[in-house]
């Protein structure tokens, strides 16, 4: 087993395998009834794809070209490919200084812990632009670090010193920096008093139902209200009151025990915490990552962290009311009744889709402090008749206290019979219509084995394909156009697939064709024009089931007509993740994460240079608005 070659999920599964499914007959039965169900809704391959049947229907004639670009072809080049008339430039790359006294990134040493702590982190993911008093700030998650590259100057790419391990730790967290246009190009403003690095050592407040609970107390924090740091921040969110939400995803892979035979609790196992980390070695430099010594420390990670970007000395807040799981992003919507709704996916095979609804009402002039601490967390159940319901997680429905629900959220969700999903990644709410979309990236275990909690993962309406290696995008419309309603109706906006290789459901829905096919939708975001941007994080072999798909990419979907066009192709071995726009909407910032994760890229500088993750600015050559 080579830890470097395994994905987060695969490594977790190797350590803590789920039981094999014993109900094969049930799987077949469900698959057969699924065919009947889908027959009335959509057909595959050469058939027609009907987007829904009721409120989701496509109006006739709504087919004007809203894209404003010609689709780019799939490719396997080691560069960014954008449509004719567009161009791209790097804004900041892993290791680029945020202050002028920090040495420039050094390919030979890859820097030190001290330089990395004051430079842009690695493997950026979700990001936002904020504007206040004429200042433009970018806030960017740095999800994880590619250890092969970070320690590639050492024998066998293993850390030699504590500083090597610390450097890896400092490559994680959040980077905050001011940007400004210089000669038409956006640049990072070194030394801005707003620049900030948030790392796994930054002090944070724990707020909401779990704050102060016994499960949150550690030797270093007997109050259970102060945590240190954030890491593995994946997708993001923004609140209408100008704060940034960093979502902690695969937080588990950083914990270990000196004694690898140490057995963790069932609750920690459900989250993939074990005595073996993924190779980061943080417990060697900081005992709080040793679960045998600090078994409650993992309970203090896996949250949504709220950051006030324009106050560089503010203390970030871990909002436990939003639940603890492998958070993807946090899509915030203000419902018609003024309540704050946050949609959130738990990105693991067979885990769930969540919704938080605040008890309080948001008003632009009122206090927002408690809004994300006090509310009701629910989990989605998708019925095969294309209706759905949000199941509340309360002491009454789960038999758990409010604090326990906030800490052991996955167990709470398993108790109420929520629908196990094909790895919920980003959720995006349509600004032009009361509806939302979720990327269900893929799930090779669908119909094969239960989730880590033992919940059934037979194929179902919204996750209709067994061993689903392509993924799908589902959408739902809340009842009565109310994001706080209990019920909704749903359909599938797109089933990714390969119509060149398959002629059944694995060919994809009818809006997928040889020209735009992709796999593993992940990042989702609406632009101001109501177009849905889709980023992928999937197989890039360009062979077999994935032949013709090329590298990971970014596409744009018209949610009215269903049409999807490829806008961009990323470099080799990357995923495309994270996006935001300049205030004038003339520049789109896009994240390129882990180019060359298998050593096959030199992006962006070419030659023999190290591949580096980064933020890239895409604009039209004619300077027009893009999105
Ligand atoms: Fe960090 Fe689920 O992607
Ligand atoms: Ca993702
Ligand atoms: Ca992904």
């Amino acid at each position: 087993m080579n830890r470097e070659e395994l994905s987060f999920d695969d490594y977790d599964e190797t350590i803590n395998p789920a039981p094999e499914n014993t109900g094969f007959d049930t799987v077949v039965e469900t698959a057969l009834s699924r065919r009947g169900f889908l027959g009335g809704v959509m057909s595959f391959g050469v058939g027609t794809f009907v987007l829904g049947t009721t409120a989701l229907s496509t109006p006739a004639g709504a087919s004007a070209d809203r894209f404003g670009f010609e689709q780019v072809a799939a490719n396997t080049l080691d560069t960014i490919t954008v449509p004719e008339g567009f161009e791209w430039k790097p804004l900041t790359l892993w290791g680029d200084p945020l202050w002028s006294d920090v040495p420039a990134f050094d390919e030979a040493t890859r820097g030190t812990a001290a330089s990395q702590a004051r430079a842009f982190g690695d493997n950026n993911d979700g990001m936002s632009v904020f504007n206040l008093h004429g200042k433009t700030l970018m806030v960017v998650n740095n999800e994880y670090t590619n250890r092969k590259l970070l320690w590639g100057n050492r024998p066998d790419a293993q850390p030699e010193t504590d500083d090597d391990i610390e450097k890896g730790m400092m490559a994680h967290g959040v980077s905050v920096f001011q940007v400004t246009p210089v000669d038409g190009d956006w640049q990072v403003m070194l030394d801005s008093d707003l620049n900030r690095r948030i790392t796994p050592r930054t002090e944070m407040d724990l707020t909401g139902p779990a704050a102060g609970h016994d499960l949150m107390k550690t030797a270093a924090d007997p109050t259970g209200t102060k945590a240190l740091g954030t890491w593995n921040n994946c997708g993001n969110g923004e609140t209408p009151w100008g704060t940034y939400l960093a979502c902690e995803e695969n937080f588990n892979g950083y914990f270990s025990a000196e004694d690898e035979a140490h057995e963790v609790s069932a609750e920690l196992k459900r989250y993939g915490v074990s005595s073996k980390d993924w190779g980061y070695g943080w417990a060697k430099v900081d005992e709080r990552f040793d679960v045998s010594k600090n078994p409650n420390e993992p309970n203090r990670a896996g949250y949504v962290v709220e950051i006030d970007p324009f106050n560089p000395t503010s203390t970030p807040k871990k909002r436990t009311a939003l639940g603890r799981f492998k958070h993807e992003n946090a899509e915030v919507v203000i419902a018609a009744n003024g309540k704050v709704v946050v949609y959130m996916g738990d990105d693991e095979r067979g885990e769930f889709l969540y919704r938080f609804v605040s008890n309080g009402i948001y008003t632009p002039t009122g206090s927002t402090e408690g809004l994300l601490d006090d509310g009701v967390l629910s989990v989605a159940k998708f019925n095969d008749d294309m209706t759905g319901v949000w199941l509340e997680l309360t002491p009454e429905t789960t038999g758990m206290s409010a604090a326990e629900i906030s800490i052991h959220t996955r167990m709470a969700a398993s108790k109420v019979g929520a629908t196990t999903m094909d790895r919920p990644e980003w959720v995006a709410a349509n600004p032009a219509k009361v509806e939302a979309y979720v990327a269900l990236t893929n799930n090779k275990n669908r119909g094969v084995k239960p989730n880590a909690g033992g919940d059934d993962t037979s194929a179902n309406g919204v996750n209709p394909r067994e061993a689903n290696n392509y993924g799908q995008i589902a959408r739902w419309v809340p009842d009565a156009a109310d994001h706080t309603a209990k019920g909704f109706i749903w359909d599938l906006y797109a089933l990714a697939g390969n119509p060149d290789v398959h002629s059944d459901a694995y060919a994809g829905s009818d809006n997928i064709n040889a020209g735009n096919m992709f796999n593993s939708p992940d990042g989702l975001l609406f632009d101001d024009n109501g177009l849905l941007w889709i980023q992928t994080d999937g197989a890039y072999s360009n062979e077999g089931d994935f032949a013709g798909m090329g590298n990971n990419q970014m596409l744009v979907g018209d949610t009215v007509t269903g049409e999807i066009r490829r806008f961009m192709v990323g470099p080799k071995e990357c995923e495309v993740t994270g996006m935001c726009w300049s205030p004038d909407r003339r520049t789109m910032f896009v994240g390129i994460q882990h180019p060359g994760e298998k050593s096959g890229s030199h992006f962006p500088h070419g030659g023999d240079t190290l591949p580096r993750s980064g933020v890239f600015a895409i604009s039209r050559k004619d300077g027009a608005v893009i999105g």
Side-chain angles (χ1 to χ4, degrees):
M1 175 182 63
N2 181 349
R3 290 183 194 186
E4 291 281 354
E5 297 296 328
L6 293 173
S7 68
F8 298 148
D9 289 344
D10 287 331
Y11 186 65
D12 286 350
E13 205 166 286
T14 308
I15 291 174
N16 186 21
E20 295 299 321
N21 198 324
T22 51
F24 185 69
D25 289 346
T26 319
V27 172
V28 173
E29 206 175 286
T30 309
L32 289 173
S33 62
R34 164 190 39 113
R35 256 176 243 148
F37 157 65
L38 285 175
V41 181
M42 61 179 84
S43 57
F44 298 102
V46 294
T48 52
F49 175 62
V50 181
L51 288 167
T53 52
T54 52
L56 306 170
S57 297
T58 302
S63 59
D65 181 357
R66 300 167 62 205
F67 292 93
F69 64 88
E70 292 295 324
Q71 170 162 283
V72 301
N75 68 57
T76 57
L77 303 172
D78 195 23
T79 189
I80 289 176
T81 307
V82 288
E84 202 54 47
F86 289 76
E87 60 187 353
W88 63 271
K89 290 169 186 166
L91 176 74
T92 184
L93 305 176
W94 162 46
D96 280 349
L98 297 179
W99 287 269
S100 58
D101 61 349
V102 179
F105 181 77
D106 180 346
E107 292 232 348
T109 65
R110 296 113 211 253
T112 62
S115 66
Q116 182 62 75
R118 302 181 73 237
F120 186 64
D122 197 6
N123 282 343
N124 46 287
D125 205 298
M127 58 181 161
S128 293
V129 165
F130 293 92
N131 231 5
L132 191 69
H133 306 315
K135 292 181 175 178
T136 303
L137 260 191
M138 287 191 74
V139 188
V140 187
N141 289 345
N142 296 111
E143 186 177 24
Y144 71 104
T145 187
N146 184 325
R147 300 186 301 281
K148 259 196 239 176
L149 291 171
L150 183 85
W151 298 325
N153 57 325
R154 302 299 196 193
D156 302 322
Q158 291 299 313
E160 265 188 1
T161 64
D162 284 358
D163 195 75
D164 284 346
I165 296 174
E166 288 276 353
K167 176 169 64 176
M169 190 186 282
M170 294 302 117
H172 289 69
V174 182
S175 297
V176 184
F177 48 92
Q178 193 174 347
V179 291
T180 191
V182 177
D183 298 332
D185 291 334
W186 287 92
Q187 291 188 7
V188 174
M189 280 181 71
L190 299 180
D191 305 319
S192 163
D193 55 11
L194 294 171
N195 291 0
R196 180 182 192 185
R197 273 303 317 278
I198 293 169
T199 74
R201 294 205 190 281
T202 303
E203 187 170 304
M204 315 214 156
D205 290 332
L206 292 159
T207 73
H213 189 273
D214 281 351
L215 285 166
M216 303 295 266
K217 294 175 182 169
T218 63
D221 173 30
T223 68
T225 59
K226 289 274 177 196
L228 285 185
T230 186
W231 57 91
N232 213 284
N233 303 97
C234 188
N236 66 317
E238 297 160 22
T239 66
W241 52 92
T243 59
Y244 180 82
L245 303 175
C247 303
E248 297 178 340
E249 192 185 23
N250 291 291
F251 65 90
N252 58 303
Y254 300 82
F255 293 97
S256 62
E258 207 172 344
D259 172 10
E260 286 203 353
H262 172 77
E263 274 282 318
V264 303
S265 66
E267 289 81 6
L268 289 180
K269 268 190 191 161
R270 178 70 189 270
Y271 287 91
V273 176
S274 86
S275 60
K276 294 180 205 143
D277 72 8
W278 292 333
Y280 289 111
W282 290 6
K284 292 185 185 129
V285 298
D286 191 340
E287 212 169 59
R288 73 191 161 104
F289 293 100
D290 186 324
V291 279
S292 65
K293 294 169 183 160
N294 290 289
N296 282 348
E297 191 65 36
N299 293 337
R300 295 142 61 87
Y303 295 105
V304 172
V305 182
E306 186 173 12
I307 296 166
D308 179 0
F310 280 98
N311 183 353
T313 60
S314 60
T315 304
K317 295 178 172 19
K318 294 197 171 195
R319 301 294 190 189
T320 69
L322 274 54
R324 174 168 165 267
F325 42 90
K326 294 186 179 177
H327 279 282
E328 186 68 25
N329 78 328
E331 179 72 339
V332 178
V333 184
I334 303 300
N337 59 13
K339 294 195 174 192
V340 183
V341 175
V342 190
Y343 290 114
M344 300 169 284
D346 180 355
D347 179 9
E348 187 151 356
R349 299 183 190 104
E351 291 295 339
F352 306 112
L353 177 69
Y354 293 86
R355 181 187 74 174
F356 170 86
V357 178
S358 68
N359 287 331
I361 301 290
Y362 166 75
T363 61
T365 53
S367 168
T368 56
E369 178 47 37
L371 287 175
L372 298 182
D373 290 334
D374 178 23
V376 179
L377 192 63
S378 300
V379 62
K381 180 171 169 55
F382 290 81
N383 300 314
D384 284 0
D385 66 0
M386 304 186 73
T387 64
V389 63
W390 292 101
L391 304 169
E392 292 189 357
L393 302 178
T394 66
E396 293 71 36
T397 61
T398 63
M400 298 161 68
S401 71
E404 288 168 339
I405 292 167
S406 293
I407 298 166
H408 298 143
T409 310
R410 284 183 168 180
M411 283 76 137
S414 287
K415 288 188 177 192
V416 299
T419 302
T420 59
M421 306 295 283
D422 285 349
R423 295 186 55 201
E425 300 251 26
W426 292 52
V427 178
N430 190 340
K433 191 177 171 192
V434 181
E435 64 176 13
Y437 292 68
V438 62
L440 301 167
T441 195
N442 58 53
N443 182 2
K444 68 179 184 185
N445 291 348
R446 173 66 58 190
V448 176
K449 60 168 82 170
N451 72 7
D455 299 320
D456 180 77
T457 68
S458 303
N460 57 47
V462 73
N463 305 283
R465 295 175 297 187
E466 294 171 11
N468 172 18
N469 57 353
Y470 293 130
Q472 64 267 17
I473 299 172
R475 67 176 160 188
W476 64 95
V477 174
D479 288 351
D482 174 4
H483 277 291
T484 70
K486 184 177 175 64
F488 57 87
I489 55 171
W490 65 267
D491 76 353
L492 294 174
Y493 171 65
L495 267 177
N498 192 327
D500 281 353
V501 174
H502 298 285
S503 54
D504 57 8
Y506 297 85
S509 47
D510 198 45
N511 51 350
I512 303 300
N513 52 58
N516 70 1
M517 61 181 168
F518 61 93
N519 73 90
S520 306
D522 187 334
L524 285 186
L525 204 79
F526 275 96
D527 67 17
D528 277 1
N529 299 323
L531 291 170
L532 180 66
W533 294 76
I534 304 164
Q535 301 175 317
T536 74
D537 169 24
Y540 42 73
S541 67
N542 204 34
E543 292 175 351
D545 275 353
F546 309 104
M549 295 181 179
N551 295 345
N552 277 305
Q553 55 195 271
M554 184 162 73
L555 309 101
V556 189
D558 183 326
T559 60
V560 178
T561 64
E563 184 181 355
I564 295 173
R565 273 188 207 176
R566 186 182 298 108
F567 174 79
M568 190 196 100
V569 180
K572 285 178 182 289
E573 300 173 11
C574 79
E575 76 175 86
V576 181
T577 186
M579 63 192 128
C580 53
W581 281 263
S582 64
D584 63 8
R585 311 292 289 192
R586 294 177 199 280
T587 303
M588 179 187 210
F589 299 103
V590 176
I592 297 296
Q593 194 190 75
H594 63 71
E597 65 175 354
K598 293 180 178 166
S599 311
S601 166
H602 298 282
F603 180 80
H605 295 315
D608 288 332
T609 60
L610 289 181
R612 287 164 71 192
S613 55
V615 176
F616 295 83
I618 297 176
S619 56
R620 285 178 60 117
K621 289 178 182 167
D622 63 8
V625 166
I626 53 165

